């Protein structure tokens, strides 16, 4: 058999690429800077190609070095999956899951998911990360996360996905302004710049615009909030209206406010909630079992 490069040296290379700094990468790998540097040099000798161009102050990855990093990420992820499979002998609902979730779901659902898992699956541990859809998908692809809880639709090409429920959108207005709106609601009758939404990086903005058939951009205020809680405060100050997902309302985001909930125009607009994981993962049964548990939580059948 050929003398293959060590996984340890590939691990050094991937972390150096991520940190772009030898000292920080060495700390993450729990080795000295010289050990990390020697490991990468050894990797270059084994592969017979220069992966990094160095001078006394800086370095850059060569084109082949970039390719090796990308392939090494996938290789290390597959090894992690293999270790988990053998460690738990293929038993579902055991071990660790690094779960990523978007900010418009995490505060309103994850605590219930964690409590359910602690009660029903004591051998399963969830490690949580909250971020935007784009960054979570990037982390999943790099093997930094195992599973994502997202609002669909998003581009999940190259991944497996499982729909676990729907989350209706509601129109939220101040109770003093609610009487001025006549049902059925028509967005054309709304004042310009009277609808507040989240920043574009939050997928709920696009989902809400599409689901609620909000075609007139003049109705949207140019101010973009960073969180649903900020939107609630804006509407509670009688500055306009907004859309909120039902799960946030059910979780009490409108408590201690003077806001009313109304059905927005459109055919019962909603967003899908789903799980996403890598096609190469060996833990499909665990992910699907967790998906069914989340589905029950969303439908109020289990706490």
């Amino acid at each position: 058999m050929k003398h293959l490069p060590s996984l340890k040296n590939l691990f050094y290379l991937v972390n150096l690429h991520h940190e772009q700094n030898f000292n920080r990468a060495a700390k993450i790998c729990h080795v000295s800077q010289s050990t990390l540097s020697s490991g990468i040099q050894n990797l270059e000798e084994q592969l017979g190609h220069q992966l990094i161009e160095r001078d006394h102050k800086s370095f850059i990855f060569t084109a082949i070095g970039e390719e090796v990093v990308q392939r090494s990420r996938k290789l290390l992820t597959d090894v992690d999956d293999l270790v988990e499979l053998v460690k738990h002998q293929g038993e579902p609902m055991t071990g660790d899951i690094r779960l990523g979730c978007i900010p418009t779901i995490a505060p309103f659902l994850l605590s219930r998911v964690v409590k359910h898992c602690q009660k029903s699956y004591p051998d399963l541990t969830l490690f949580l990360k909250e971020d935007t859809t784009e960054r979570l998908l990037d982390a999943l692809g790099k093997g930094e996360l195992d599973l994502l809880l997202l609002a669909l639709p998003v581009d999940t090409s190259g991944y497996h996905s499982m729909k676990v429920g729907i989350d209706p959108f509601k129109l939220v207005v101040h109770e003093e302004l609610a009487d001025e709106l006549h049902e059925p609601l028509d967005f054309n009758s709304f004042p310009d710049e009277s609808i507040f939404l989240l920043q574009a990086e939050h997928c709920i903005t696009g989902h809400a615009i599409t689901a609620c058939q909000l075609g007139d951009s003049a109705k949207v205020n140019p101010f973009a909030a960073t969180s649903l809680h900020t939107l609630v405060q804006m509407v509670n100050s009688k500055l306009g209206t907004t859309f909120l997902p039902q799960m946030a309302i059910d979780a009490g985001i409108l408590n201690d406010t003077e806001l009313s909930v109304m059905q927005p125009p459109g055919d019962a607009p909603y967003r899908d909630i789903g799980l996403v994981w890598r096609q190469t993962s060996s833990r499909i049964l665990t992910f699907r079992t967790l998906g069914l548990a989340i589905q029950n939580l969303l439908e109020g059948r289990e706490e």
Side-chain angles (χ1 to χ4, degrees):
M1 181 181 291
K2 295 180 179 180
H3 184 49
L4 300 176
S6 74
L7 294 175
K8 178 175 63 177
N9 290 341
L10 295 177
F11 182 67
Y12 292 166
L13 184 74
V14 167
N15 278 283
L16 178 62
H17 187 273
H18 183 268
E19 295 296 326
Q20 293 295 311
N21 180 278
F22 274 90
N23 185 46
R24 291 196 301 268
K27 289 181 178 179
I28 289 177
C29 296
H30 303 290
V31 297
S32 67
Q33 186 170 326
S34 61
T35 297
L36 183 134
S37 181
S38 296
I40 293 176
Q41 288 177 348
N42 179 256
L43 181 62
E44 290 178 316
E45 292 170 2
Q46 288 178 306
L47 296 177
H49 286 280
Q50 184 181 20
L51 305 178
I52 301 172
E53 294 181 13
R54 308 167 177 82
D55 61 28
H56 65 288
K57 290 185 178 180
S58 62
F59 67 91
I60 61 171
F61 279 76
T62 63
I64 190 63
E66 293 282 352
E67 179 67 21
V68 171
V69 166
Q70 298 304 318
R71 296 193 178 213
S72 296
R73 283 199 183 107
K74 182 180 184 304
L75 181 60
L76 292 170
T77 298
D78 289 344
V79 170
D80 284 341
D81 287 341
L82 176 63
V83 170
E84 284 294 317
L85 175 66
V86 175
K87 180 179 179 181
H88 302 287
Q89 301 178 21
E91 295 180 7
M93 310 313 291
T94 61
D96 301 336
I97 292 180
R98 298 167 297 174
L99 174 63
C101 188
I102 58 175
T104 56
I105 294 178
F108 316 113
L109 182 59
L110 282 189
S111 63
R112 297 166 62 200
V113 173
V114 170
K115 289 178 181 178
H116 172 77
C117 288
Q118 289 173 338
K119 177 182 177 181
S120 302
Y121 311 112
D123 295 325
L124 182 72
T125 303
L126 298 180
F127 294 93
L128 309 177
K129 178 180 177 63
E130 181 180 321
D131 212 329
T132 62
T133 298
E134 181 179 0
R135 287 195 283 265
L136 290 176
L137 285 170
D138 182 62
L140 181 66
K142 292 178 178 177
E144 297 169 0
L145 294 172
D146 304 310
L147 184 67
L148 305 182
L149 182 58
L150 303 177
L152 306 176
V154 295
D155 182 9
T156 56
S157 55
Y159 299 103
H160 284 309
S161 63
M162 173 186 179
K163 179 181 172 181
V164 297
I166 64 171
D167 188 21
F169 285 111
K170 300 298 182 181
L171 188 70
V172 177
V173 299
H174 195 279
E175 58 187 23
E176 293 184 8
L177 302 178
D179 294 337
E180 301 176 8
L181 300 177
H182 303 287
E183 297 190 86
L185 297 177
D186 181 0
F187 286 131
N188 292 323
S189 65
F190 283 37
D192 287 351
E193 300 187 355
S194 63
I195 299 176
F196 288 89
L197 300 173
L198 291 182
Q199 293 174 341
E201 66 184 32
H202 294 279
C203 60
I204 193 174
T205 294
H207 291 162
I209 290 175
T210 300
C212 298
Q213 302 176 16
L214 179 58
D216 188 355
S217 60
K219 305 301 180 182
V220 179
N221 194 286
F223 172 84
T226 58
S227 72
L228 294 181
H229 290 86
T230 302
L231 287 179
V232 169
Q233 293 307 313
M234 299 294 290
V235 178
N236 201 44
S237 298
K238 306 178 186 180
L239 298 178
T241 184
T242 192
F243 303 106
L244 291 181
Q246 186 67 54
M247 72 165 62
I249 296 172
D250 293 342
I253 196 172
L254 300 184
N255 290 352
D256 301 319
T257 68
E258 299 177 334
L259 301 182
S260 296
V261 177
M262 306 181 72
Q263 181 67 27
D267 186 17
Y270 65 90
R271 60 178 181 169
D272 288 322
I273 306 299
L275 291 176
V276 179
W277 62 89
R278 292 183 299 278
Q279 292 181 348
T280 55
S281 177
S282 61
R283 308 185 71 187
I284 296 177
L285 183 55
T286 292
F287 296 158
R288 290 197 175 278
T289 302
L290 183 59
L292 290 175
I294 294 174
Q295 182 176 340
N296 287 334
L297 290 173
L298 288 172
E299 294 177 357
R301 294 201 301 264
E302 195 171 332
E303 289 296 337

